[in-house]
Amino acid sequence: MTETQEEFEVLTTEEFMERMKIGRTTVHKWKKTGILVPGKHYTQAGHVVRFIWTKEILLDLCDRNIMKVGSTEKKPPAKRKKPVSKRPHGGGINLDY
């Protein structure tokens, strides 16, 4: 095998999930968001999906930063909106009743 040739394997979805240690939902999410690119990472004919497994593809997936296990990156807390009363008199107790 020369430097330009690369060994590759063709995997089923289940084999790909097992090697990547991910679930089926994650595979579908990665396909939908473009992390897995058709023709580069997988091929699909109807319902039959086959994943191409090479060292280059594995490195590409890692470079895309999908493997965020143990990430310490923190997101800013979401701002809470003040609740709005639907009652015209302010939502308090009606003591005049």
Side-chain angles (χ1 to χ4, degrees):
M1 183 167 76
T2 67
E3 288 183 28
T4 58
Q5 292 177 329
E6 186 178 347
E7 289 186 29
F8 71 94
E9 291 180 69
V10 178
L11 307 177
T12 64
T13 302
E14 289 75 20
E15 291 168 333
F16 180 76
M17 290 168 21
E18 185 178 319
R19 289 200 186 178
M20 293 298 291
K21 307 290 190 234
I22 59 174
R24 188 173 299 276
T25 303
T26 303
V27 172
H28 291 296
K29 185 172 88 174
W30 287 359
K31 286 171 61 179
K32 185 176 181 179
T33 60
I35 291 172
L36 293 173
V37 179
K40 180 177 183 180
H41 299 113
Y42 70 94
T43 182
Q44 185 167 356
H47 293 292
V48 178
V49 179
R50 294 294 181 257
F51 292 87
I52 302 142
W53 187 264
T54 66
K55 180 180 177 182
E56 305 298 325
I57 288 175
L58 183 59
L59 292 173
D60 178 58
L61 290 174
C62 290
D63 286 344
R64 290 169 179 260
N65 203 19
I66 58 167
M67 309 299 270
K68 292 186 179 181
V69 177
S71 174
T72 58
E73 181 180 315
K74 293 185 179 180
K75 293 181 182 178
K79 292 184 179 180
R80 294 179 129 185
K81 291 184 179 180
K82 195 172 186 178
V84 178
S85 174
K86 294 181 182 179
R87 297 182 182 179
H89 55 75
I93 298 172
N94 184 356
L95 299 175
D96 295 331
Y97 181 53

